[in-house]
Amino acid sequence: MKPSSFSLTEIHRRIDEVKRFLSRTLDIANAHTVDFYTQDVWSRFMALRPEEVLLAVSRSEQQGEPQHVGTEPSRTTFGFCRDSNRLVDIRELLQAAKAHSLPGLGVCMSRDELLQDLKENRPHSGIPPAGTGADLEPDEFMNLKKSHEVQSMSEVVASLAHHCGVQQVIDVGSGKGYLSSFLSLQYNLRVYGIDSSSTNTHGAQERNRKLKKFSRAYQKHTKAAETQVEATHSPQEESAEIKPGLNGDDDVLYGVGAGNESREEVLIGSSDVNPAAERRSELNPETEELFLSALSLDVIQAPRVPPSQLSAEERERRKRENLERKAQRRTDSTGAVFSPLTSYVTAETELRELINELEDAVVVGLHTCGDLAPSTLRMFVAKPELSAVCSVGCCYHLLSEEFDPVRRECSHGLCGFPLSQYLRDQSWFCGRNARMSACLALERVSLGQGIQMESLFYRAVLHVILRDHYSSYKSEKRVGNVYSKTKTFVDYVHQALRRLELDESKLSDSDIQNYHDTYSVRMDEMHAFNMLKVTLAPCIEGLILLDRLCYLKEQEDVSLSALVQLFDPLLSPRCYAVVGLKSYGKRITS
């Protein structure tokens, strides 16, 4: 059975399976690293040596099958002793974790399967597929990760738009506008990018203007390369100097920390990017140099031939191309365009008041942060003008939970989790630390791109010092990123105490170093425990995404809903999209 054809009952069954597993293991994910030594976390949960756990995890990653360590499974539940509630069988736990991840549950479609389904089941709308504009190479103006995400997702979004017979896309949490710009330029779709940050909106507008300029240069060069078999450089021709980007090999159009961390609050204002205004606006020399440095030499330095050396046929061909280009520009000014908007959006937002030209559209979100991902799904369900949705969420630790007894985060309105009525009826909650664990990247950690263990160790030992010598060790003040600014543990503690506004004179340097030496022999415990958290991460993420899928399955007018793996998890750990299509007949009549 295809995952997209799973019934609501089948999704309920898989949710129940994951819930049963997490009911036994969620306490590990919710244990805070800061409290690791002050609350003796290892002894509370583990009846194994850390070396056993690390060896079993390592073998599981290398061989794909955990080796047996511990007691017989008949005395345990998911590796935990039924009497002591401590972990005694690491093999059983690792196997159960794999079985309760999304791949183990068999609920996900591949990207290729989704594209094939959309192609085979396309209704006859009479609307041709979205055309292709410039054949852009995204890795020329994005880093590798963002290029992979944008190319993979944009093809799916364009296919959804074609399947539904629509030409408009609403990109919620559009951030810097990479996906929006690419959809507009590559697939000739009209894209409205909505972001809560005016800084992101203005940046996206400027970036899109540059990309349009780049795409015209790229198209011009491509046409010349196709028709001109042999060309020589003019003696007067100057060579363009290509300079590296601001960050070495990183391209200059992608800044550090460009992950989409969209929120939902800001003022309303809009600004369209139109070709007329674009032609009037010129780059200042510094900006132009930075932008050109991101382009290939071939694009900037196209061969030139003096007009006097052209044949009559070539002159006529170029004249005809110029006329076609002008006509295309007139079409572009009213057709495909990316319009960045700054707005607060919820399921109650009247999109037609925000977007005057709104028609039926596909709503998308690429790594929408926290509650914005479930809000996008609520918006899709509530708005008849939205024909399809493709939502990739991130930042699970920023989700608000309706039933968390520790943090009542939903006083402002609807919460991000749970979204489905099925889990809401059971008052299910995960907890913030567990949701933080869900953000860990198992595939990357498995390849050694792992956790900064020393910084976590420093913070946990600092907590012991605060407990032993300072009554305010649970201060509301935060230590922050002190580790990156220090070279030794002693220096780290001194800076942390200053940050917390505590008296440094209570402890000598030798006292501080003694704490480090005392607990350094137990560092393997912390390492092993955090590897277990990483192992549980896909299961917690799986429950959050199954909840979103269940929500779409609960809607009567949603004809197709599925979890789809869009990205390579090594390049983009938050690789799953929630995809939904409304019933064709109901959408047309709405």
Side-chain angles (χ1 to χ4, degrees):
M1 179 183 294
K2 288 185 178 180
S4 60
S5 63
F6 282 179
S7 67
L8 180 59
T9 301
E10 288 164 327
I11 297 302
H12 285 171
R13 182 170 62 81
R14 282 163 174 77
I15 287 176
D16 290 341
E17 291 175 9
V18 179
K19 277 176 49 200
R20 180 171 175 266
F21 175 68
L22 290 180
S23 294
R24 193 65 197 80
T25 59
L26 207 56
D27 284 344
I28 288 179
N30 270 316
H32 204 300
T33 306
V34 166
D35 302 316
F36 191 78
Y37 297 121
T38 57
Q39 296 185 8
D40 201 9
V41 170
W42 183 264
S43 297
R44 279 173 52 205
F45 292 105
M46 312 297 292
L48 298 169
R49 292 180 295 108
E51 294 82 5
E52 292 178 289
V53 174
L54 289 171
L55 180 61
V57 171
S58 175
R59 286 177 173 174
S60 174
E61 293 166 353
Q62 294 172 6
Q63 303 173 7
E65 180 65 27
Q67 298 298 307
H68 181 77
V69 179
T71 61
E72 292 299 319
S74 59
R75 297 173 49 197
T76 61
T77 302
F78 302 129
F80 289 85
C81 176
R82 293 170 185 164
D83 297 325
S84 68
N85 292 324
R86 298 167 74 198
L87 183 66
V88 294
D89 190 337
I90 182 61
R91 172 181 174 272
E92 187 181 357
L93 176 63
L94 295 177
Q95 288 178 331
K98 287 186 177 182
H100 292 90
S101 65
L102 289 179
L105 294 168
V107 293
C108 289
M109 299 180 71
S110 71
R111 175 177 167 276
D112 290 342
E113 287 173 334
L114 175 64
L115 291 173
Q116 186 62 31
D117 276 5
L118 292 174
K119 181 178 180 181
E120 292 175 353
N121 300 299
R122 182 173 295 137
H124 298 289
S125 63
I127 297 178
T132 56
D135 289 328
L136 298 176
E137 294 295 336
D139 54 3
E140 296 200 21
F141 52 90
M142 307 177 202
N143 69 2
L144 180 62
K145 174 180 180 292
K146 185 61 66 176
S147 172
H148 170 66
E149 292 165 354
V150 167
Q151 287 188 89
S152 298
M153 187 164 178
S154 62
E155 185 178 2
V156 169
V157 173
S159 296
L160 287 170
H162 182 209
H163 180 94
C164 297
V166 303
Q167 296 291 321
Q168 293 188 357
V169 174
I170 299 175
D171 184 3
V172 178
S174 53
K176 300 195 173 196
Y178 290 107
L179 177 65
S180 296
S181 294
F182 194 78
L183 284 168
S184 173
L185 294 172
Q186 182 76 8
Y187 292 98
N188 285 334
L189 293 165
R190 173 87 189 202
V191 185
Y192 298 94
I194 304 176
D195 195 88
S196 66
S197 167
S198 58
T199 301
N200 276 345
T201 301
H202 295 149
Q205 178 179 341
E206 176 66 9
R207 184 173 295 101
N208 187 67
R209 186 180 66 79
K210 293 177 182 179
L211 290 180
K212 282 189 172 183
K213 190 172 184 179
F214 161 73
S215 71
R216 286 197 293 270
Y218 193 92
Q219 286 175 302
K220 180 178 179 180
H221 169 63
T222 302
K223 287 183 179 179
E226 289 174 350
T227 57
Q228 190 169 335
V229 178
E230 185 175 332
T232 56
H233 290 281
S234 171
Q236 293 82 19
E237 186 172 19
E238 297 179 0
S239 296
E241 181 182 1
I242 305 301
K243 298 182 179 181
L246 294 174
N247 298 312
D249 292 336
D250 292 339
D251 70 71
V252 298
L253 294 181
Y254 184 84
V256 176
N260 191 334
E261 296 183 359
S262 303
R263 298 174 184 260
E264 292 186 78
E265 305 100 36
V266 91
L267 302 175
I268 294 181
S270 69
S271 56
D272 283 359
V273 181
N274 69 72
E278 185 177 287
R279 286 191 292 271
R280 288 196 299 269
S281 175
E282 295 295 331
L283 291 173
N284 64 55
E286 181 181 2
T287 306
E288 186 168 23
E289 179 180 308
L290 289 174
F291 177 65
L292 292 178
S293 71
L295 308 184
S296 69
L297 181 62
D298 289 340
V299 173
I300 302 170
Q301 188 177 316
R304 294 200 299 256
V305 178
S308 59
Q309 297 181 16
L310 297 175
S311 65
E313 293 81 3
E314 179 63 15
R315 285 197 296 271
E316 182 62 28
R317 185 190 66 78
R318 294 193 176 190
K319 180 180 178 181
R320 186 170 62 253
E321 281 187 359
N322 285 334
L323 291 174
E324 291 174 355
R325 191 179 301 112
K326 289 179 180 178
Q328 183 62 42
R329 284 177 182 171
R330 286 194 294 270
T331 301
D332 289 345
S333 67
T334 57
V337 72
F338 165 38
S339 303
L341 308 170
T342 303
S343 178
Y344 166 88
V345 289
T346 68
E348 289 74 38
T349 301
E350 288 297 334
L351 293 175
R352 295 189 186 279
E353 293 180 3
L354 188 62
I355 304 170
N356 294 329
E357 306 85 359
L358 182 64
E359 302 170 357
D360 284 356
V362 177
V363 62
V364 304
L366 174 54
H367 290 152
T368 45
C369 189
D371 285 349
L372 190 54
S375 289
T376 301
L377 298 179
R378 285 191 176 108
M379 188 185 305
F380 164 68
V381 169
K383 304 300 179 187
E385 60 266 36
L386 299 180
S387 309
V389 64
C390 182
S391 170
V392 182
C394 68
C395 304
Y396 301 128
H397 60 294
L398 296 179
L399 279 172
S400 59
E401 289 200 69
E402 184 173 358
F403 302 106
D404 191 331
V406 178
R407 294 171 176 263
R408 307 302 295 181
E409 298 171 310
C410 291
S411 58
H412 62 279
L414 294 173
C415 281
F417 181 85
L419 185 62
S420 69
Q421 194 60 48
Y422 185 67
L423 278 180
R424 292 186 71 206
D425 287 343
Q426 301 174 56
S427 301
W428 181 267
F429 75 94
C430 288
R432 188 178 190 277
N433 288 337
R435 287 182 278 111
M436 181 77 79
S437 298
C439 299
L440 297 171
L442 175 61
E443 290 81 7
R444 287 184 173 181
V445 173
S446 299
L447 291 182
Q449 304 171 25
I451 306 165
Q452 294 294 323
M453 197 56 58
E454 188 177 62
S455 66
L456 297 176
F457 172 72
Y458 277 15
R459 183 63 184 87
V461 178
L462 171 66
H463 212 57
V464 177
I465 293 174
L466 295 176
R467 179 198 64 186
D468 292 351
H469 298 277
Y470 301 91
S471 59
S472 59
Y473 79 99
K474 289 190 176 180
S475 168
E476 293 182 358
K477 296 184 179 68
R478 299 177 64 86
V479 173
N481 186 22
V482 172
Y483 174 79
S484 63
K485 304 170 186 175
T486 58
K487 294 182 179 179
T488 66
F489 179 70
V490 172
D491 188 21
Y492 171 86
V493 171
H494 281 302
Q495 290 206 32
L497 292 176
R498 287 195 292 270
R499 180 74 63 88
L500 296 172
E501 299 179 5
L502 296 174
D503 183 9
E504 297 177 61
S505 64
K506 285 188 176 183
L507 292 166
S508 66
D509 288 355
S510 61
D511 291 334
I512 295 172
Q513 187 62 41
N514 285 338
Y515 272 97
H516 176 278
D517 297 343
T518 298
Y519 284 94
S520 61
V521 295
R522 296 179 58 189
M523 194 171 176
D524 276 353
E525 293 178 0
M526 178 176 284
H527 186 193
F529 196 81
N530 277 286
M531 290 306 297
L532 289 182
K533 281 191 170 187
V534 172
T535 300
L536 297 175
C539 307
I540 304 168
E541 179 182 33
L543 182 66
I544 293 170
L545 295 179
L546 283 170
D547 172 59
R548 295 174 184 178
L549 176 62
C550 184
Y551 172 74
L552 292 187
K553 296 283 185 186
E554 291 170 348
Q555 312 306 317
E556 292 183 358
D557 63 342
V558 175
S559 60
L560 179 144
S561 53
L563 291 176
V564 183
Q565 183 175 334
L566 288 188
F567 312 134
D568 180 346
L570 281 174
L571 286 174
S572 182
R574 305 282 76 78
C575 61
Y576 295 106
V578 181
V579 175
L581 283 167
K582 284 182 181 166
S583 303
Y584 185 70
K586 292 185 180 181
R587 180 175 58 80
I588 292 299
T589 57
S590 60

